[in-house]
Amino acid sequence: MKILSVVGARPNFIKIAPFINSIKEYNQKIESSGNGISINHILVHTGQHYDDRMNNNFFTSLGIPSPDINLGIGSGSHAEQVGKTMIAFEKVLIEHKPEMVVVVGDVNATLACSITAKKQKILCCHIEAGLRSGDMSMPEEINRIVTDRLSDLLLTPDKLSSANLMSEGISRDKIHFVGNIMIDTLEKNLGKAEKIQVVDILSKNNYAIEEQQVPDPEILNSYAIVTMHRPSNVDRKSILKPIIEFLIETASRKLFLIWPIHPRTIKRLKEFDLFNRILHAENVMLLHPISYHEMLRLNMDAKMMFTDSGGLQEECAILGTPCLTMRWNTERPVTLLEHGGPSVLVGNNVKMIRDEFGKTILSQRKPQRPELWDGHTAKRCLDKIIMSLNRLK
Ligand code: UD1
């Protein structure tokens, strides 16, 4: 059985790690029993995320084997990234002829490789299928819809996602609710993350070592994490500036703010002449992008999360961290307050963010575990893949 899976950007690495591990376990079982056909797995990295902190660190720390093939696509406009990926990936498929291509998440690699697989008449499986924000201005929403429409096997993280797919007319026999594969990674890595000291994360990753001192340990009893990288929040000065002012003038007066900052956001802050203000602000510390374990460790004790990341919304749900989701919609509604989760949508309107901040600062940690977010999703994904390969071949 030849399966080829694809990663491109940071959130993909967290999802593929448990999947590769489940293949390894499956092959070990086949080998020791001498019964059945083992899986020949090929890992392709499109190269969308490429630098050490966004890429290599994740491979090493999550124990992901080096990709068998790296397409080296790098930065570029969406059309450039998708186009270059399709051209390079088509050659890989022609050479390796896998029986199935497995794509995860909703990044440009997910879209480009699912289209290419289908054009080559190769079966395609989408892990994390069915998420819908309903917001077609998000590049990720376009990627999700196209990938799901083309996939032969759609593995969903929750029942709302399965319902989304059915309402779009996708045939029921392609859809399987398997749970959230991100949580496999979280469960596996909690122990390692717990051992890290928060001060060590700050001193190791400090963005401007001379200018920002690591705070006293008691200040660290009360910190919030900030992460923001979505084009809708960072690409326009009229949106980004008031958020920066809120963080400096309101949020940082109540909580120490730790902000592992995405390269896209740094670029925009510099363009809009806001970078020095946030870098020199009191009670705010900018960090380079941090490792998976470091983020998990910070999240375990944070009083609050300000984020526009979907993955962090899910991690906050399991850990119970009150989460102000800086978006007007979410493809992950199971994490919201109305579904028992700790996340509230606050968009990018500062009045709304300020109001919710006032309420949220008084709230307590409230862990929640949606159905099948149990750390065993990767095995269920592989079982479904093997079953459908046997059926569809
Ligand atoms: C991508 C995903 C998004 C995901 C995010 C997580 C798409 C459409 N978007 O957005 O869903 O939440 O990754 O990080 O696929 N850059 C570096 N170093 C790197 C990678 C990128 O400096 O290793 C720079 C690029 O030059 C670019 C910017 O960061 O200017 C944005 O990178 P890009 O790949 O375009 O998308 P993300 O915003 O990271």
Side-chain angles (χ1 to χ4, degrees):
M1 246 181 300
K2 197 175 202 179
I3 298 175
L4 184 154
S5 53
V6 177
V7 290
R10 187 170 60 175
N12 288 170
F13 311 146
I14 301 161
K15 292 164 199 163
I16 212 69
F19 181 66
I20 293 181
N21 208 37
S22 72
I23 293 180
K24 200 167 127 198
E25 283 171 12
Y26 176 85
N27 281 346
Q28 280 165 353
K29 229 194 256 167
I30 296 282
E31 212 172 289
S32 61
S33 69
N35 209 346
I37 305 166
S38 63
I39 295 170
N40 175 2
H41 178 246
I42 301 171
L43 179 62
V44 174
H45 190 333
T46 66
Q48 178 176 344
H49 284 177
Y50 46 85
D51 65 33
D52 275 350
R53 288 178 181 268
M54 302 286 286
N55 177 57
N56 295 348
N57 278 352
F58 284 78
F59 275 76
T60 321
S61 66
L62 297 176
I64 307 170
S66 296
D68 299 290
I69 299 159
N70 192 319
L71 306 180
I73 300 305
S75 309
S77 71
H78 286 255
E80 278 169 341
Q81 281 184 339
V82 171
K84 282 186 194 163
T85 305
M86 287 178 68
I87 294 166
F89 191 57
E90 185 180 55
K91 296 191 175 94
V92 171
L93 293 183
I94 291 170
E95 183 185 341
H96 292 274
K97 297 185 178 44
E99 286 160 70
M100 184 177 267
V101 167
V102 176
V103 294
V104 294
D106 55 17
V107 303
N108 287 337
T110 316
L111 170 77
C113 295
S114 58
I115 298 177
T116 315
K118 288 313 294 171
K119 294 243 177 194
Q120 285 295 314
K121 302 190 171 43
I122 295 170
L123 295 171
C124 182
C125 165
H126 184 202
I127 298 182
E128 205 188 61
L131 296 181
R132 294 290 182 270
S133 66
D135 178 357
M136 289 299 286
S137 68
M138 278 181 84
E140 294 82 0
E141 184 75 353
I142 300 168
N143 296 348
R144 292 179 200 119
I145 291 174
V146 177
T147 301
D148 285 342
R149 188 66 191 82
L150 295 178
S151 293
D152 303 280
L153 181 61
L154 297 108
L155 304 178
T156 68
D158 53 61
K159 287 182 175 162
L160 295 173
S161 299
S162 301
N164 289 337
L165 295 171
M166 285 183 232
S167 75
E168 289 173 14
I170 293 178
S171 119
R172 267 168 192 264
D173 60 345
K174 292 183 177 177
I175 306 167
H176 300 274
F177 165 45
V178 292
N180 188 339
I181 201 160
M182 291 267 291
I183 306 308
D184 289 22
T185 304
L186 184 144
E187 291 297 340
K188 188 167 178 211
N189 290 284
L190 274 175
K192 187 168 170 196
E194 242 160 25
K195 298 197 183 94
I196 306 174
Q197 300 295 321
V198 170
V199 279
D200 292 342
I201 301 174
L202 302 191
S203 48
K204 187 172 149 211
N205 299 289
N206 199 342
Y207 198 88
I209 290 168
E210 294 104 57
E211 295 169 62
Q212 289 180 306
Q213 296 302 313
V214 172
D216 294 336
E218 65 268 23
I219 291 181
L220 292 179
N221 289 333
S222 229
Y223 66 84
I225 308 171
V226 181
T227 83
M228 227 195 318
H229 72 283
R230 299 241 168 245
S232 55
N233 283 336
V234 305
D235 281 3
R236 271 183 294 160
K237 187 173 183 179
S238 59
I239 303 267
L240 188 55
K241 187 165 177 250
I243 296 176
I244 296 296
E245 282 165 354
F246 161 78
L247 292 173
I248 296 174
E249 285 157 22
T250 306
S252 73
R253 304 230 163 124
K254 304 262 188 213
L255 295 170
F256 182 72
L257 303 185
I258 303 176
W259 186 352
I261 194 159
H262 189 283
R264 170 189 283 278
T265 312
I266 298 222
K267 221 183 266 180
R268 296 297 182 236
L269 286 168
K270 287 185 176 165
E271 264 171 49
F272 303 151
D273 228 357
L274 293 167
F275 186 68
N276 280 329
R277 273 186 75 186
I278 190 82
L279 183 69
H280 299 301
E282 235 179 88
N283 241 15
V284 179
M285 183 174 269
L286 299 190
L287 304 181
H288 290 283
I290 54 180
S291 74
Y292 178 78
H293 294 93
E294 288 169 336
M295 181 55 100
L296 194 52
R297 175 65 190 89
L298 289 181
N299 200 352
M300 282 174 187
D301 277 338
K303 288 276 176 283
M304 198 184 296
M305 173 77 70
F306 293 91
T307 192
D308 58 13
S309 145
L312 280 169
Q313 246 175 276
E314 297 178 333
E315 286 158 0
C316 284
I318 295 294
L319 299 173
T321 315
C323 179
L324 296 191
T325 300
M326 298 168 84
R327 295 177 46 192
W328 296 113
N329 46 57
T330 178
E331 62 289 335
R332 293 162 162 95
V334 289
T335 63
L336 294 178
L337 219 50
E338 52 264 41
H339 289 275
S343 166
V344 184
L345 294 178
V346 292
N348 48 28
N349 172 297
V350 164
K351 180 175 175 328
M352 216 165 143
I353 300 173
R354 184 178 291 113
D355 288 352
E356 282 301 334
F357 174 69
K359 286 187 229 161
T360 308
I361 201 162
L362 305 171
S363 67
Q364 298 298 314
R365 214 160 247 290
K366 193 167 126 292
Q368 174 230 21
R369 193 172 288 275
E371 192 179 351
L372 294 190
W373 291 27
D374 57 0
H376 302 292
T377 292
K379 176 163 186 320
R380 285 190 287 269
C381 290
L382 189 61
D383 289 347
K384 295 293 174 199
I385 287 172
I386 294 169
M387 265 169 53
S388 75
L389 270 178
N390 288 333
R391 189 166 54 87
L392 296 170
K393 261 197 311 187

